[in-house]
Amino acid sequence: MKKREYWLDLLHHVPKWNHWRELNPEETIDLSGINLNSYDLEAINFSGCNLSHVNFIGSNLRFANLSSADLSHSNLIGVNLRLANMRQSVLFKARLHRSNLSEANMVQSFICESDFSKAIFYETELGESKIYKTSFSHAKLVNTHLGKADIFMCNFDHAIMESVDLRWANVIKTPINFNQV
């Protein structure tokens, strides 16, 4: 059985996947282009994995470890990412429309040309992230931390923003209206 087929088989049972990851920490995981729609992947360890072009529509990634993962071009529409560790992840042209990112750790992430429209950010940590040309249209950001983030040419049209921390953030060509409640 090829490695990729073995990994796909393991993904049906998260504890087995996580145990295998513990035993194989140096293994480079490339799951690019696979379909994981509607999977229950709660608490899965995808740290450092190549998850580019993966379809996660309707999946549960609550408590998932996605730190340093490449999620470029991935489809995460409607995905539950609550309490996920996405620290230093790459989200280039990723679609997270209507996703729940409440209490997620996205510190030092690279986010470019992605779609977070209608997403929920409640107490989400985005500090020190690089956020470029990304849509937060109609998103809900409550107690969200963007301290020291670089925010360039982003769209916050009709976003609900309450108690957003922008201390030391570098906001360029991005109109932000805190009265859109």
Side-chain angles (χ1 to χ4, degrees):
M1 182 184 288
K2 296 179 184 176
K3 277 186 187 181
R4 193 167 165 103
E5 291 170 359
Y6 177 70
W7 295 335
L8 291 173
D9 188 50
L10 278 179
L11 287 173
H12 292 288
H13 196 275
V14 173
K16 283 184 183 178
W17 169 271
N18 288 344
H19 180 69
W20 182 85
R21 288 294 311 269
E22 284 177 29
L23 297 176
N24 299 279
E26 302 302 318
E27 188 79 33
T28 301
I29 311 274
D30 182 355
L31 296 171
S32 58
I34 66 170
N35 184 355
L36 295 174
N37 290 349
S38 302
Y39 272 58
D40 184 2
L41 299 168
E42 185 165 329
I44 195 156
N45 182 358
F46 276 145
S47 63
C49 291
N50 180 355
L51 301 168
S52 61
H53 299 277
V54 172
N55 281 315
F56 286 105
I57 295 175
S59 292
N60 178 21
L61 286 163
R62 186 170 180 248
F63 290 110
N65 184 352
L66 297 159
S67 62
S68 301
D70 183 357
L71 292 155
S72 298
H73 300 277
S74 287
N75 191 341
L76 294 129
I77 294 173
V79 172
N80 181 5
L81 287 156
R82 186 162 189 218
L83 295 157
N85 179 3
M86 299 174 74
R87 184 180 186 91
Q88 298 180 336
S89 59
V90 175
L91 293 148
F92 176 72
K93 293 191 176 184
R95 293 179 303 220
L96 291 102
H97 180 75
R98 295 186 333 268
S99 292
N100 182 356
L101 293 136
S102 295
E103 302 174 90
N105 177 358
M106 299 177 76
V107 172
Q108 297 178 340
S109 291
F110 176 77
I111 302 165
C112 184
E113 297 182 36
S114 292
D115 180 10
F116 288 99
S117 58
K118 297 185 180 178
I120 299 169
F121 294 88
Y122 176 75
E123 295 190 359
T124 306
E125 297 289 340
L126 283 154
E128 300 179 46
S129 292
K130 309 295 184 205
I131 307 169
Y132 307 118
K133 297 182 180 178
T134 293
S135 177
F136 293 89
S137 172
H138 297 89
K140 187 170 185 177
L141 294 90
V142 178
N143 297 334
T144 301
H145 304 279
L146 289 155
K148 297 183 182 177
D150 290 330
I151 304 166
F152 180 72
M153 293 181 68
C154 291
N155 175 6
F156 286 91
D157 289 348
H158 305 286
I160 296 170
M161 301 179 76
E162 299 173 8
S163 301
V164 174
D165 179 7
L166 286 163
R167 284 180 288 178
W168 304 102
N170 188 16
V171 182
I172 301 171
K173 294 186 179 182
T174 301
I176 297 176
N177 183 357
F178 289 97
N179 298 321
Q180 296 176 342
V181 180

